Amino acid sequence: MRLVIARCSVDYAGRLTAHLPSAPRLILVKADGSVSIHADDRAYKPLNWMSPPCTLKEGSGDDAGVWTVVNKAGEKLIITMEEVLHDSSHELGTDPGLIKDGVEAHLQELLADRIETLGEGYSLIRREYMTAIGPVDILCRDASGATVAVEIKRRGEIDGVEQLTRYLELLNRDPHLAPVRGVFAAQEIKPQAKVLATDRGMDCVVLDYDALRGIEDDKLRLF
C-alpha cells in the first residue's frame, strides 16, 4: 500500500464531473490498483476514488505532479499535486480477514434452532435450501402450513431485498412449495430496504443476536 499526504486538487471526469479544490489530503494506492482520496473526517468514506481495474500514470516533464487514474470505462481521476508532505509504501501481506461475532452463518444457525421466534407454530423445512441461483438461508412453514423463505443479513439493505425477491420468484414456480412468502431478517434494517420489502409483501424482522443466544428475552421485533 502506498500512502501519500499532499496538498492537491482532484478532478473526476466520467458519467459526471466533480472537482475537489486544493487542500491537504491523504491518497491511498492499494495493491489491487484502487486509488482513493481522503480528508481528515468522514470516517472511512473517501472524497473520491477509482475502483479496480484501473491504471495509474504519474506525469513527468510539464505534467510532473499530475496523476491520472483511468478505469476500463475510460473514466478519469486526475490528481494535481502542489506539495507532497509524505510518500511511503508498505507491504501489508495477505490479510486473514475479519472474524465477526454474529455473522450471517451464525445468525442463520441460531434462527434455525429457534425458528419458533418468527412466530408460534413455525417449523423448519431446512437451512440452505438450494435454488438455481443459490441457497435460500432458511425455508420453513408458518402455523397455517404456508411456505416461508427467510433471507438473513447482518445489515439489511436494498440488495438483500432484491436477492430475496429473486428467490421468491423461483420458489413460487414450484407447485409443491407455492405460495411462498418472504421474511427479510437482519440485525439492522435500513429504512429504504424496509420500505421496499414491505412494498413487495415481505415481513421485516430485526434480529437480536443476544436474544437468539438466550442471553436476553427472545422476542423479535416485526414490522
Side-chain angles (χ1 to χ4, degrees), residues 69-102:
V69 188
V70 184
N71 66 12
K72 63 180 181 180
E75 298 169 315
K76 294 182 179 180
L77 191 65
I78 301 169
I79 307 168
T80 303
M81 307 286 191
E82 298 170 15
E83 180 184 8
V84 176
L85 305 172
H86 175 87
D87 189 345
S88 63
S89 296
H90 308 270
E91 286 290 339
L92 301 186
T94 303
D95 191 271
L98 180 64
I99 299 173
K100 299 178 182 177
D101 188 23

PDB file of all heavy atoms in Angstrom, residues 69-102:
ATOM      1  N   VAL A  69      -5.575   8.629 -13.229  1.00  0.00           N
ATOM      2  CA  VAL A  69      -6.067   7.272 -12.985  1.00  0.00           C
ATOM      3  C   VAL A  69      -7.222   7.019 -13.956  1.00  0.00           C
ATOM      4  O   VAL A  69      -8.171   7.795 -14.013  1.00  0.00           O
ATOM      5  CB  VAL A  69      -6.552   7.105 -11.531  1.00  0.00           C
ATOM      6  CG1 VAL A  69      -6.877   5.641 -11.240  1.00  0.00           C
ATOM      7  CG2 VAL A  69      -5.517   7.632 -10.550  1.00  0.00           C
ATOM      8  N   VAL A  70      -7.125   5.936 -14.735  1.00  0.00           N
ATOM      9  CA  VAL A  70      -8.135   5.633 -15.753  1.00  0.00           C
ATOM     10  C   VAL A  70      -8.674   4.225 -15.520  1.00  0.00           C
ATOM     11  O   VAL A  70      -7.888   3.281 -15.337  1.00  0.00           O
ATOM     12  CB  VAL A  70      -7.537   5.740 -17.173  1.00  0.00           C
ATOM     13  CG1 VAL A  70      -8.628   5.514 -18.226  1.00  0.00           C
ATOM     14  CG2 VAL A  70      -6.866   7.094 -17.380  1.00  0.00           C
ATOM     15  N   ASN A  71     -10.006   4.074 -15.538  1.00  0.00           N
ATOM     16  CA  ASN A  71     -10.577   2.732 -15.414  1.00  0.00           C
ATOM     17  C   ASN A  71     -10.937   2.170 -16.784  1.00  0.00           C
ATOM     18  O   ASN A  71     -10.741   2.827 -17.812  1.00  0.00           O
ATOM     19  CB  ASN A  71     -11.783   2.729 -14.461  1.00  0.00           C
ATOM     20  CG  ASN A  71     -12.962   3.532 -14.991  1.00  0.00           C
ATOM     21  OD1 ASN A  71     -13.005   3.928 -16.162  1.00  0.00           O
ATOM     22  ND2 ASN A  71     -13.944   3.781 -14.131  1.00  0.00           N
ATOM     23  N   LYS A  72     -11.471   0.959 -16.806  1.00  0.00           N
ATOM     24  CA  LYS A  72     -11.735   0.283 -18.080  1.00  0.00           C
ATOM     25  C   LYS A  72     -12.830   0.966 -18.892  1.00  0.00           C
ATOM     26  O   LYS A  72     -12.928   0.759 -20.105  1.00  0.00           O
ATOM     27  CB  LYS A  72     -12.097  -1.181 -17.844  1.00  0.00           C
ATOM     28  CG  LYS A  72     -13.373  -1.402 -17.044  1.00  0.00           C
ATOM     29  CD  LYS A  72     -13.641  -2.884 -16.863  1.00  0.00           C
ATOM     30  CE  LYS A  72     -14.931  -3.130 -16.087  1.00  0.00           C
ATOM     31  NZ  LYS A  72     -15.201  -4.593 -15.901  1.00  0.00           N
ATOM     32  N   ALA A  73     -13.656   1.803 -18.229  1.00  0.00           N
ATOM     33  CA  ALA A  73     -14.706   2.539 -18.939  1.00  0.00           C
ATOM     34  C   ALA A  73     -14.200   3.856 -19.506  1.00  0.00           C
ATOM     35  O   ALA A  73     -14.954   4.595 -20.139  1.00  0.00           O
ATOM     36  CB  ALA A  73     -15.885   2.788 -18.008  1.00  0.00           C
ATOM     37  N   GLY A  74     -12.919   4.162 -19.254  1.00  0.00           N
ATOM     38  CA  GLY A  74     -12.353   5.407 -19.757  1.00  0.00           C
ATOM     39  C   GLY A  74     -12.577   6.601 -18.856  1.00  0.00           C
ATOM     40  O   GLY A  74     -12.217   7.723 -19.213  1.00  0.00           O
ATOM     41  N   GLU A  75     -13.152   6.381 -17.680  1.00  0.00           N
ATOM     42  CA  GLU A  75     -13.342   7.468 -16.728  1.00  0.00           C
ATOM     43  C   GLU A  75     -12.000   7.834 -16.107  1.00  0.00           C
ATOM     44  O   GLU A  75     -11.143   6.957 -15.907  1.00  0.00           O
ATOM     45  CB  GLU A  75     -14.346   7.057 -15.651  1.00  0.00           C
ATOM     46  CG  GLU A  75     -15.728   6.762 -16.213  1.00  0.00           C
ATOM     47  CD  GLU A  75     -16.639   6.096 -15.202  1.00  0.00           C
ATOM     48  OE1 GLU A  75     -16.180   5.169 -14.518  1.00  0.00           O
ATOM     49  OE2 GLU A  75     -17.812   6.509 -15.103  1.00  0.00           O
ATOM     50  N   LYS A  76     -11.828   9.106 -15.772  1.00  0.00           N
ATOM     51  CA  LYS A  76     -10.530   9.570 -15.291  1.00  0.00           C
ATOM     52  C   LYS A  76     -10.645  10.263 -13.941  1.00  0.00           C
ATOM     53  O   LYS A  76     -11.588  11.013 -13.683  1.00  0.00           O
ATOM     54  CB  LYS A  76      -9.904  10.549 -16.295  1.00  0.00           C
ATOM     55  CG  LYS A  76      -9.520   9.922 -17.631  1.00  0.00           C
ATOM     56  CD  LYS A  76      -8.856  10.958 -18.537  1.00  0.00           C
ATOM     57  CE  LYS A  76      -8.448  10.349 -19.868  1.00  0.00           C
ATOM     58  NZ  LYS A  76      -7.793  11.354 -20.744  1.00  0.00           N
ATOM     59  N   LEU A  77      -9.645  10.007 -13.108  1.00  0.00           N
ATOM     60  CA  LEU A  77      -9.463  10.712 -11.860  1.00  0.00           C
ATOM     61  C   LEU A  77      -8.101  11.405 -11.966  1.00  0.00           C
ATOM     62  O   LEU A  77      -7.073  10.735 -12.065  1.00  0.00           O
ATOM     63  CB  LEU A  77      -9.488   9.732 -10.684  1.00  0.00           C
ATOM     64  CG  LEU A  77      -9.568  10.302  -9.268  1.00  0.00           C
ATOM     65  CD1 LEU A  77     -10.894  11.025  -9.058  1.00  0.00           C
ATOM     66  CD2 LEU A  77      -9.408   9.197  -8.239  1.00  0.00           C
ATOM     67  N   ILE A  78      -8.117  12.724 -11.991  1.00  0.00           N
ATOM     68  CA  ILE A  78      -6.884  13.486 -12.198  1.00  0.00           C
ATOM     69  C   ILE A  78      -6.523  14.209 -10.899  1.00  0.00           C
ATOM     70  O   ILE A  78      -7.299  15.036 -10.400  1.00  0.00           O
ATOM     71  CB  ILE A  78      -7.032  14.495 -13.351  1.00  0.00           C
ATOM     72  CG1 ILE A  78      -7.395  13.752 -14.642  1.00  0.00           C
ATOM     73  CG2 ILE A  78      -5.756  15.299 -13.536  1.00  0.00           C
ATOM     74  CD1 ILE A  78      -7.829  14.665 -15.764  1.00  0.00           C
ATOM     75  N   ILE A  79      -5.357  13.849 -10.355  1.00  0.00           N
ATOM     76  CA  ILE A  79      -4.897  14.417  -9.089  1.00  0.00           C
ATOM     77  C   ILE A  79      -3.708  15.328  -9.385  1.00  0.00           C
ATOM     78  O   ILE A  79      -2.681  14.872  -9.900  1.00  0.00           O
ATOM     79  CB  ILE A  79      -4.479  13.309  -8.105  1.00  0.00           C
ATOM     80  CG1 ILE A  79      -5.605  12.285  -7.945  1.00  0.00           C
ATOM     81  CG2 ILE A  79      -4.091  13.903  -6.762  1.00  0.00           C
ATOM     82  CD1 ILE A  79      -5.183  11.013  -7.228  1.00  0.00           C
ATOM     83  N   THR A  80      -3.867  16.600  -9.076  1.00  0.00           N
ATOM     84  CA  THR A  80      -2.799  17.574  -9.328  1.00  0.00           C
ATOM     85  C   THR A  80      -2.123  17.909  -8.004  1.00  0.00           C
ATOM     86  O   THR A  80      -2.714  18.531  -7.121  1.00  0.00           O
ATOM     87  CB  THR A  80      -3.369  18.853  -9.965  1.00  0.00           C
ATOM     88  OG1 THR A  80      -4.056  18.498 -11.176  1.00  0.00           O
ATOM     89  CG2 THR A  80      -2.249  19.826 -10.291  1.00  0.00           C
ATOM     90  N   MET A  81      -0.867  17.440  -7.876  1.00  0.00           N
ATOM     91  CA  MET A  81      -0.105  17.644  -6.646  1.00  0.00           C
ATOM     92  C   MET A  81       0.517  19.045  -6.633  1.00  0.00           C
ATOM     93  O   MET A  81       1.164  19.451  -7.600  1.00  0.00           O
ATOM     94  CB  MET A  81       1.018  16.599  -6.539  1.00  0.00           C
ATOM     95  CG  MET A  81       0.565  15.177  -6.680  1.00  0.00           C
ATOM     96  SD  MET A  81      -0.294  14.611  -5.203  1.00  0.00           S
ATOM     97  CE  MET A  81      -0.387  12.851  -5.583  1.00  0.00           C
ATOM     98  N   GLU A  82       0.352  19.734  -5.538  1.00  0.00           N
ATOM     99  CA  GLU A  82       1.012  21.028  -5.355  1.00  0.00           C
ATOM    100  C   GLU A  82       2.190  20.920  -4.395  1.00  0.00           C
ATOM    101  O   GLU A  82       3.216  21.562  -4.586  1.00  0.00           O
ATOM    102  CB  GLU A  82      -0.001  22.056  -4.845  1.00  0.00           C
ATOM    103  CG  GLU A  82      -1.149  22.294  -5.818  1.00  0.00           C
ATOM    104  CD  GLU A  82      -2.253  23.134  -5.198  1.00  0.00           C
ATOM    105  OE1 GLU A  82      -2.007  23.755  -4.156  1.00  0.00           O
ATOM    106  OE2 GLU A  82      -3.363  23.147  -5.758  1.00  0.00           O
ATOM    107  N   GLU A  83       2.018  20.081  -3.377  1.00  0.00           N
ATOM    108  CA  GLU A  83       3.093  19.884  -2.406  1.00  0.00           C
ATOM    109  C   GLU A  83       2.919  18.499  -1.777  1.00  0.00           C
ATOM    110  O   GLU A  83       1.862  18.188  -1.229  1.00  0.00           O
ATOM    111  CB  GLU A  83       3.041  20.954  -1.314  1.00  0.00           C
ATOM    112  CG  GLU A  83       4.138  20.817  -0.278  1.00  0.00           C
ATOM    113  CD  GLU A  83       4.010  21.824   0.845  1.00  0.00           C
ATOM    114  OE1 GLU A  83       2.983  22.540   0.897  1.00  0.00           O
ATOM    115  OE2 GLU A  83       4.927  21.891   1.695  1.00  0.00           O
ATOM    116  N   VAL A  84       3.950  17.670  -1.875  1.00  0.00           N
ATOM    117  CA  VAL A  84       3.911  16.336  -1.271  1.00  0.00           C
ATOM    118  C   VAL A  84       4.528  16.416   0.115  1.00  0.00           C
ATOM    119  O   VAL A  84       5.690  16.796   0.281  1.00  0.00           O
ATOM    120  CB  VAL A  84       4.660  15.309  -2.134  1.00  0.00           C
ATOM    121  CG1 VAL A  84       4.688  13.943  -1.442  1.00  0.00           C
ATOM    122  CG2 VAL A  84       4.000  15.182  -3.508  1.00  0.00           C
ATOM    123  N   LEU A  85       3.737  16.061   1.126  1.00  0.00           N
ATOM    124  CA  LEU A  85       4.185  16.133   2.515  1.00  0.00           C
ATOM    125  C   LEU A  85       4.705  14.802   3.023  1.00  0.00           C
ATOM    126  O   LEU A  85       5.511  14.751   3.957  1.00  0.00           O
ATOM    127  CB  LEU A  85       3.031  16.610   3.400  1.00  0.00           C
ATOM    128  CG  LEU A  85       2.378  17.942   2.978  1.00  0.00           C
ATOM    129  CD1 LEU A  85       1.134  18.215   3.796  1.00  0.00           C
ATOM    130  CD2 LEU A  85       3.376  19.074   3.108  1.00  0.00           C
ATOM    131  N   HIS A  86       4.236  13.723   2.416  1.00  0.00           N
ATOM    132  CA  HIS A  86       4.653  12.381   2.842  1.00  0.00           C
ATOM    133  C   HIS A  86       4.382  11.408   1.700  1.00  0.00           C
ATOM    134  O   HIS A  86       3.351  11.493   1.035  1.00  0.00           O
ATOM    135  CB  HIS A  86       3.881  11.938   4.089  1.00  0.00           C
ATOM    136  CG  HIS A  86       4.170  10.539   4.514  1.00  0.00           C
ATOM    137  ND1 HIS A  86       5.211  10.207   5.342  1.00  0.00           N
ATOM    138  CD2 HIS A  86       3.552   9.357   4.214  1.00  0.00           C
ATOM    139  CE1 HIS A  86       5.233   8.897   5.537  1.00  0.00           C
ATOM    140  NE2 HIS A  86       4.231   8.355   4.869  1.00  0.00           N
ATOM    141  N   ASP A  87       5.303  10.463   1.497  1.00  0.00           N
ATOM    142  CA  ASP A  87       5.124   9.449   0.452  1.00  0.00           C
ATOM    143  C   ASP A  87       5.845   8.185   0.907  1.00  0.00           C
ATOM    144  O   ASP A  87       7.074   8.165   1.007  1.00  0.00           O
ATOM    145  CB  ASP A  87       5.686   9.944  -0.883  1.00  0.00           C
ATOM    146  CG  ASP A  87       5.325   9.014  -2.047  1.00  0.00           C
ATOM    147  OD1 ASP A  87       4.898   7.878  -1.800  1.00  0.00           O
ATOM    148  OD2 ASP A  87       5.480   9.456  -3.207  1.00  0.00           O
ATOM    149  N   SER A  88       5.086   7.146   1.221  1.00  0.00           N
ATOM    150  CA  SER A  88       5.709   5.901   1.673  1.00  0.00           C
ATOM    151  C   SER A  88       4.918   4.708   1.162  1.00  0.00           C
ATOM    152  O   SER A  88       3.714   4.803   0.892  1.00  0.00           O
ATOM    153  CB  SER A  88       5.786   5.851   3.205  1.00  0.00           C
ATOM    154  OG  SER A  88       4.490   5.850   3.773  1.00  0.00           O
ATOM    155  N   SER A  89       5.603   3.574   1.022  1.00  0.00           N
ATOM    156  CA  SER A  89       4.972   2.325   0.576  1.00  0.00           C
ATOM    157  C   SER A  89       5.215   1.247   1.614  1.00  0.00           C
ATOM    158  O   SER A  89       6.288   1.197   2.240  1.00  0.00           O
ATOM    159  CB  SER A  89       5.540   1.883  -0.774  1.00  0.00           C
ATOM    160  OG  SER A  89       5.239   2.831  -1.780  1.00  0.00           O
ATOM    161  N   HIS A  90       4.228   0.386   1.785  1.00  0.00           N
ATOM    162  CA  HIS A  90       4.304  -0.642   2.820  1.00  0.00           C
ATOM    163  C   HIS A  90       3.713  -1.943   2.288  1.00  0.00           C
ATOM    164  O   HIS A  90       2.660  -1.946   1.652  1.00  0.00           O
ATOM    165  CB  HIS A  90       3.531  -0.202   4.068  1.00  0.00           C
ATOM    166  CG  HIS A  90       3.915   1.156   4.568  1.00  0.00           C
ATOM    167  ND1 HIS A  90       4.911   1.356   5.487  1.00  0.00           N
ATOM    168  CD2 HIS A  90       3.433   2.384   4.247  1.00  0.00           C
ATOM    169  CE1 HIS A  90       5.037   2.648   5.728  1.00  0.00           C
ATOM    170  NE2 HIS A  90       4.151   3.297   4.992  1.00  0.00           N
ATOM    171  N   GLU A  91       4.405  -3.064   2.574  1.00  0.00           N
ATOM    172  CA  GLU A  91       3.881  -4.384   2.226  1.00  0.00           C
ATOM    173  C   GLU A  91       3.045  -4.892   3.395  1.00  0.00           C
ATOM    174  O   GLU A  91       3.568  -5.138   4.483  1.00  0.00           O
ATOM    175  CB  GLU A  91       5.033  -5.347   1.949  1.00  0.00           C
ATOM    176  CG  GLU A  91       5.738  -5.122   0.621  1.00  0.00           C
ATOM    177  CD  GLU A  91       4.881  -5.498  -0.578  1.00  0.00           C
ATOM    178  OE1 GLU A  91       3.925  -6.291  -0.386  1.00  0.00           O
ATOM    179  OE2 GLU A  91       5.154  -5.011  -1.677  1.00  0.00           O
ATOM    180  N   LEU A  92       1.754  -5.031   3.190  1.00  0.00           N
ATOM    181  CA  LEU A  92       0.877  -5.482   4.262  1.00  0.00           C
ATOM    182  C   LEU A  92       0.698  -6.998   4.275  1.00  0.00           C
ATOM    183  O   LEU A  92       0.256  -7.569   5.261  1.00  0.00           O
ATOM    184  CB  LEU A  92      -0.502  -4.811   4.147  1.00  0.00           C
ATOM    185  CG  LEU A  92      -0.507  -3.280   4.205  1.00  0.00           C
ATOM    186  CD1 LEU A  92      -1.948  -2.775   4.216  1.00  0.00           C
ATOM    187  CD2 LEU A  92       0.252  -2.754   5.401  1.00  0.00           C
ATOM    188  N   GLY A  93       1.009  -7.653   3.155  1.00  0.00           N
ATOM    189  CA  GLY A  93       0.839  -9.095   3.090  1.00  0.00           C
ATOM    190  C   GLY A  93      -0.622  -9.499   2.959  1.00  0.00           C
ATOM    191  O   GLY A  93      -1.511  -8.665   2.803  1.00  0.00           O
ATOM    192  N   THR A  94      -0.868 -10.787   3.041  1.00  0.00           N
ATOM    193  CA  THR A  94      -2.228 -11.316   2.906  1.00  0.00           C
ATOM    194  C   THR A  94      -3.004 -11.105   4.189  1.00  0.00           C
ATOM    195  O   THR A  94      -2.546 -11.478   5.274  1.00  0.00           O
ATOM    196  CB  THR A  94      -2.199 -12.817   2.570  1.00  0.00           C
ATOM    197  OG1 THR A  94      -1.445 -13.013   1.374  1.00  0.00           O
ATOM    198  CG2 THR A  94      -3.612 -13.358   2.374  1.00  0.00           C
ATOM    199  N   ASP A  95      -4.179 -10.500   4.061  1.00  0.00           N
ATOM    200  CA  ASP A  95      -4.989 -10.227   5.235  1.00  0.00           C
ATOM    201  C   ASP A  95      -5.813 -11.463   5.598  1.00  0.00           C
ATOM    202  O   ASP A  95      -6.424 -12.089   4.714  1.00  0.00           O
ATOM    203  CB  ASP A  95      -5.920  -9.042   4.965  1.00  0.00           C
ATOM    204  CG  ASP A  95      -6.589  -8.558   6.232  1.00  0.00           C
ATOM    205  OD1 ASP A  95      -7.676  -9.070   6.557  1.00  0.00           O
ATOM    206  OD2 ASP A  95      -6.023  -7.671   6.888  1.00  0.00           O
ATOM    207  N   PRO A  96      -5.838 -11.862   6.881  1.00  0.00           N
ATOM    208  CA  PRO A  96      -6.599 -13.053   7.266  1.00  0.00           C
ATOM    209  C   PRO A  96      -8.096 -12.845   7.263  1.00  0.00           C
ATOM    210  O   PRO A  96      -8.868 -13.794   7.399  1.00  0.00           O
ATOM    211  CB  PRO A  96      -6.093 -13.333   8.691  1.00  0.00           C
ATOM    212  CG  PRO A  96      -5.696 -11.987   9.204  1.00  0.00           C
ATOM    213  CD  PRO A  96      -5.136 -11.251   8.016  1.00  0.00           C
ATOM    214  N   GLY A  97      -8.545 -11.586   7.100  1.00  0.00           N
ATOM    215  CA  GLY A  97      -9.975 -11.305   7.108  1.00  0.00           C
ATOM    216  C   GLY A  97     -10.484 -11.008   8.500  1.00  0.00           C
ATOM    217  O   GLY A  97      -9.844 -11.332   9.508  1.00  0.00           O
ATOM    218  N   LEU A  98     -11.641 -10.399   8.558  1.00  0.00           N
ATOM    219  CA  LEU A  98     -12.244 -10.009   9.825  1.00  0.00           C
ATOM    220  C   LEU A  98     -13.111 -11.137  10.354  1.00  0.00           C
ATOM    221  O   LEU A  98     -13.971 -11.674   9.654  1.00  0.00           O
ATOM    222  CB  LEU A  98     -13.096  -8.752   9.622  1.00  0.00           C
ATOM    223  CG  LEU A  98     -13.808  -8.194  10.840  1.00  0.00           C
ATOM    224  CD1 LEU A  98     -12.797  -7.734  11.881  1.00  0.00           C
ATOM    225  CD2 LEU A  98     -14.718  -7.052  10.437  1.00  0.00           C
ATOM    226  N   ILE A  99     -12.867 -11.519  11.593  1.00  0.00           N
ATOM    227  CA  ILE A  99     -13.684 -12.539  12.240  1.00  0.00           C
ATOM    228  C   ILE A  99     -14.700 -11.819  13.111  1.00  0.00           C
ATOM    229  O   ILE A  99     -14.346 -11.122  14.066  1.00  0.00           O
ATOM    230  CB  ILE A  99     -12.819 -13.495  13.087  1.00  0.00           C
ATOM    231  CG1 ILE A  99     -11.811 -14.216  12.185  1.00  0.00           C
ATOM    232  CG2 ILE A  99     -13.690 -14.502  13.814  1.00  0.00           C
ATOM    233  CD1 ILE A  99     -10.811 -15.055  12.944  1.00  0.00           C
ATOM    234  N   LYS A 100     -15.958 -11.948  12.793  1.00  0.00           N
ATOM    235  CA  LYS A 100     -17.005 -11.208  13.481  1.00  0.00           C
ATOM    236  C   LYS A 100     -17.859 -12.134  14.323  1.00  0.00           C
ATOM    237  O   LYS A 100     -18.091 -13.291  13.981  1.00  0.00           O
ATOM    238  CB  LYS A 100     -17.908 -10.486  12.468  1.00  0.00           C
ATOM    239  CG  LYS A 100     -17.173  -9.472  11.605  1.00  0.00           C
ATOM    240  CD  LYS A 100     -18.124  -8.850  10.607  1.00  0.00           C
ATOM    241  CE  LYS A 100     -17.423  -7.861   9.702  1.00  0.00           C
ATOM    242  NZ  LYS A 100     -18.322  -7.302   8.679  1.00  0.00           N
ATOM    243  N   ASP A 101     -18.341 -11.609  15.420  1.00  0.00           N
ATOM    244  CA  ASP A 101     -19.296 -12.328  16.255  1.00  0.00           C
ATOM    245  C   ASP A 101     -20.684 -12.038  15.708  1.00  0.00           C
ATOM    246  O   ASP A 101     -21.069 -10.886  15.538  1.00  0.00           O
ATOM    247  CB  ASP A 101     -19.177 -11.825  17.692  1.00  0.00           C
ATOM    248  CG  ASP A 101     -20.002 -12.659  18.653  1.00  0.00           C
ATOM    249  OD1 ASP A 101     -20.295 -13.815  18.329  1.00  0.00           O
ATOM    250  OD2 ASP A 101     -20.350 -12.138  19.721  1.00  0.00           O
ATOM    251  N   GLY A 102     -21.433 -13.073  15.404  1.00  0.00           N
ATOM    252  CA  GLY A 102     -22.781 -12.847  14.909  1.00  0.00           C
ATOM    253  C   GLY A 102     -22.855 -12.682  13.407  1.00  0.00           C
ATOM    254  O   GLY A 102     -23.718 -11.982  12.910  1.00  0.00           O
TER     255      GLY A 102
END
